[in-house]
Amino acid sequence: MTTASEKPGPAPVPTLRVAVWRGGAEGGRYQAFDVPRLPSQTVLDVVTHIQRHLDPTLSYRFACRVGMCGSCAMMVNGAPRWTCRTHVDNVAADAALELAPLANLPVVKDLVADMGEFFEKWARAQGHFKGAATRAEPFAVVDPATAARREADAGIECIGCGVCYAACDIVAWNRDYLGPAALNRAWTLVNDVRDTAREERLEAVAGDAGCHSCHTLMSCTEHCPKKLSPTRAISGLKRATWSLAIAAVEEA
Amino acid sequence: MKTRGHTAYWAFVVHRVSGVALALFLPAHFWLLGSALQGEAALDAQLRWTEQPLVIAGEWILVMLLSAHLAGGLRLLALELLPWRNWQKTLATLGAAFALIAGLAFALAR
Amino acid sequence: MSRRREVMLWTAQRATAVVLAVCVVVHLVTIIYAVRGGLTAAEILARTRGSIAWGTFYSVFVIAAAVHGAIGLRTVAAEWLGIRGDVAEVGMSLAGLLLTIVGLRAVAAVVA
């Protein structure tokens, strides 16, 4: 029979050093927490542990926890990611994590960013469908195999999480730039044969605030958790707006 | 920010930096050539000045920058004017290769 | 600046890019050929003096480069230096003008 002093105890749980940005619109600083590191742990698990056991005043967003809603997007070690879909093992090589609110957006509090301008730009890019049919008419028949529909389908899975917006350098350098998500959405609608607002939409996405400011850095495409390619959509918009370019030359 | 390590990002940086460098170099290039207005001897004097090792190294860098900017530009024209292709990384690598070849050819000729 | 004008600038930059692509290839080949065994004014001028072909080529090259460079510098000034608006537009026009004048002067110098 072994005594208590001889019995081998459980192995000590390794710790993760987490620097979390705390503050608001006026500014803030990083605060350090030590979090137990567990197998198959996601960054969302880490943030939740901090808020539940270490500091209940920490503000952060999440909803579905399973990579469907995009609410949990934030900067993890400098890159915009979904925390629920980011395994700690993949990002914390030296047992350290740095968490900050999504870049290029105003901060509400701590890890919560204000998504207002993101959606406002979506509206400015005419990112909404405008149809002419009524309920009295039969269903529109759109062949999924057509080139236009395939282009649209390549981009419609966007859930507006803001990761691409946070990754884009042009958004950081040009406050008016509509951004990858808004332009991607506009492109899906430009390719929708049922839509009737093509001209207005092309006007809305052209110019220095629109597709013509994209320099194909492709940070959006690199980081999109749904593997979309806003760069591809924006290239399409550049081609689609040729008609505007020709009109401008004729006007000049 | 860790959003900047990928190929397309470096393609952008090279293209922009080379473009700015070339734009700043051009006036000097034009001015030197303009010295021919004072006759052949004046131009020759300027050309002698460019025989210094530092200037020759600078010229080599400029040829590389010009080739890189051309290659990057062709890649952009392909991306923006032609239907989308998924192999842009290949385009960027081809561009880099072309720039190196042009630089090498210049270095050998010089 | 109106959106249409912004699109026009973008288009002008791409159009001059195509022209420059041709000019630069010719220029690179010429440089590599000419630079062998050293470069002298006599060699350069023997090629360019009185040549309508070279005169036309370099004039087109200069103007395309001036337009392309000025528009490019405008973008860099806006994105990296935060310079926008009338100041930027005037700056861009001045840059283009400067490059054109000094460039065409150089063309005249070697062709006339």
Side-chain angles (χ1 to χ4, degrees), chain A residues 8 18 44 62 95 102 107 112 141 143 146 159 171 179 191 193 209 213 215 240 252:
Chain A
V18 187
L44 182 60
F62 77 99
L102 219 48
V107 180
V112 177
V141 177
D143 185 351
T146 56
I159 55 175
V171 170
N191 280 284
V193 295
S213 274
H215 301 309

Side-chain angles (χ1 to χ4, degrees), chain A residues 173 203 206 208 212 215 251, chain C residues 3-4 6 74 79 84:
Chain A
W173 300 334
E203 284 267 6
D208 287 351
H212 295 99
H215 301 309
E251 261 174 36
Chain C
R3 224 169 257 166
R4 293 254 164 138
E6 289 168 359
R74 171 186 175 269
E79 290 178 358
R84 291 184 174 89

Side-chain angles (χ1 to χ4, degrees), chain A residues 177-192:
Chain A
Y177 183 53
L178 294 172
L183 293 170
N184 176 72
R185 177 51 50 122
W187 175 242
T188 64
L189 293 164
V190 164
N191 280 284
D192 191 327

Side-chain angles (χ1 to χ4, degrees), chain A residues 78 169 216-217 219 238-239, chain B residues 2 4 6 8 76 80 82:
Chain A
D169 274 310
T216 54
L217 273 77
S219 298
K238 286 172 179 170
R239 286 191 290 281
Chain B
K2 267 219 53 230
R4 293 172 179 156
H6 49 283
L76 272 183
E80 293 179 349
L82 303 175

